[in-house]
Amino acid sequence: MFWVNFVIYANTTAMDKLINSIFGSLPRQGPGERNATLKALEAIPTDLKEGTILDIGAGTGAQTMLLLENTNANVIALDSNKEFIQTLLTKARNEGFDSRIRGIEESMHSIHLPTASIDIIWCEGAIYHITPEQGLMKWKRLLKPQGYFAFTDLCWVRPNPPKRILNYWKSNYPKMKSFDDIEMIVDRCGYDLITSFTLSQSAWTENYYDHLEQKVKAVEEEVEGVSASELFEAIREEMQLFEEYREYYNYGFFVAKLRS
């Protein structure tokens, strides 16, 4: 996910429309990869993958489609963006998954689902909206006993980052933790960590930034205005900083089991 946009720029109808036109058309709304999703899914018992999965912050559903394709579960896809949910449901219908998917347009801060109704909570690239600690605690009530929770979050993977990138993420994700810190948070919130790993470089470049760069170039020719120009500049700054400092941060993927 482009980090600055929804905090600073998504504050007018015109800008919301521009952001949706850029990010809604991308294969993914943030870094991710098929192999990582499937690796995390392999760590979860087969019987749970025949139950109910709640995909929080589903976006247009790159990972949601993988969950549908590689399990027999019923999937609830939740996102606050109506257009993203509609795009996802159309994809699912086109692939014949109508009977196994349900879309909910709702904020992750107030999920209105029954207690102990979910076998697996899935959240790729979105838990930063609430932070891992808050998500692990707030959504715990949704899980059935010994349910699983799989999520990704941006984290520091190398100590002592240069001041420029440290200040950038302090500004855009003030509560960003280290990979090891998130593992400890998982334990502290009442879960047993099953597996954890980081994404590959191609999850950022080939799967996300390359598509984003092409889309920005196309949209830039059609859209004018100071706010739009600032948005495009901010997107390019994020991509440039990743190129320069990618060894210091990455997405971590964490799969945990609710402790009995």
Side-chain angles (χ1 to χ4, degrees):
M1 176 62 70
F2 168 60
W3 288 84
V4 182
N5 60 5
F6 293 104
V7 178
I8 298 175
Y9 295 99
N11 52 13
T12 67
T13 301
M15 190 53 63
D16 286 346
K17 194 171 182 179
L18 176 58
I19 288 169
N20 282 342
S21 73
I22 294 173
F23 292 92
S25 64
L26 300 179
R28 292 179 175 272
Q29 283 69 59
E33 57 189 334
R34 175 185 178 87
N35 288 346
T37 299
L38 296 182
K39 181 177 179 179
L41 198 55
E42 286 175 2
I44 298 175
T46 301
D47 60 324
L48 294 188
K49 290 181 280 192
E50 297 179 351
T52 301
I53 301 174
L54 171 62
D55 185 4
I56 299 175
T60 60
Q63 73 290 331
T64 320
M65 295 303 296
L66 288 173
L67 297 176
L68 288 165
E69 292 165 3
N70 292 276
T71 74
N72 293 315
N74 293 313
V75 177
I76 302 171
L78 182 147
D79 201 282
S80 61
N81 189 305
K82 182 178 181 178
E83 291 186 21
F84 289 178
I85 286 293
Q86 290 176 340
T87 297
L88 168 54
L89 293 178
T90 299
K91 287 181 186 177
R93 282 195 296 270
N94 290 341
E95 295 297 325
F97 293 121
D98 305 56
S99 63
R100 290 175 46 212
I101 189 163
R102 171 188 171 196
I104 299 178
E105 181 194 347
E106 190 171 63
S107 168
M108 65 174 63
H109 293 274
S110 55
I111 299 175
H112 297 92
L113 290 172
T115 297
S117 61
I118 304 298
D119 294 283
I120 304 167
I121 291 176
W122 206 271
C123 187
E124 286 195 44
I127 204 167
Y128 73 93
H129 285 294
I130 194 170
T131 74
E133 186 163 16
Q134 289 296 312
L136 287 161
M137 293 301 296
K138 192 178 183 71
W139 302 333
K140 183 186 292 188
R141 71 163 190 87
L142 299 171
L143 283 173
K144 296 177 182 179
Q146 300 186 39
Y148 274 64
F149 194 131
F151 69 96
T152 66
D153 195 33
L154 188 70
C155 53
W156 298 110
V157 295
R158 183 173 171 179
N160 304 316
K163 187 175 180 180
R164 184 183 178 199
I165 193 63
L166 179 64
N167 289 340
Y168 178 83
W169 286 119
K170 277 186 176 180
S171 175
N172 290 293
Y173 189 17
K175 296 184 179 180
M176 182 172 164
K177 305 292 186 183
S178 73
F179 186 89
D180 292 342
D181 285 341
I182 296 178
E183 289 187 334
M184 289 188 287
I185 287 170
V186 168
D187 177 71
R188 189 164 66 240
C189 289
Y191 298 78
D192 293 322
L193 186 66
I194 304 302
T195 189
S196 59
F197 53 92
T198 55
L199 301 188
S200 70
Q201 180 180 326
S202 63
W204 289 78
T205 52
E206 295 173 21
N207 292 356
Y208 179 49
Y209 281 150
D210 288 355
H211 296 281
L212 180 56
E213 184 175 19
Q214 290 175 13
K215 185 62 179 180
V216 167
K217 285 180 180 178
V219 172
E220 198 172 23
E221 297 175 358
E222 304 170 0
V223 180
E224 297 180 352
V226 174
S227 295
S229 296
E230 290 177 350
L231 173 62
F232 300 143
E233 288 175 9
I235 290 173
R236 290 194 170 101
E237 180 186 20
E238 182 186 309
M239 292 190 287
Q240 181 60 41
L241 287 173
F242 177 76
E243 184 66 26
E244 294 181 24
Y245 300 107
R246 61 192 176 199
E247 70 268 28
Y248 289 96
Y249 61 96
N250 200 346
Y251 270 93
F253 214 132
F254 306 87
V255 180
K257 177 183 177 183
L258 185 61
R259 195 173 295 142
S260 301

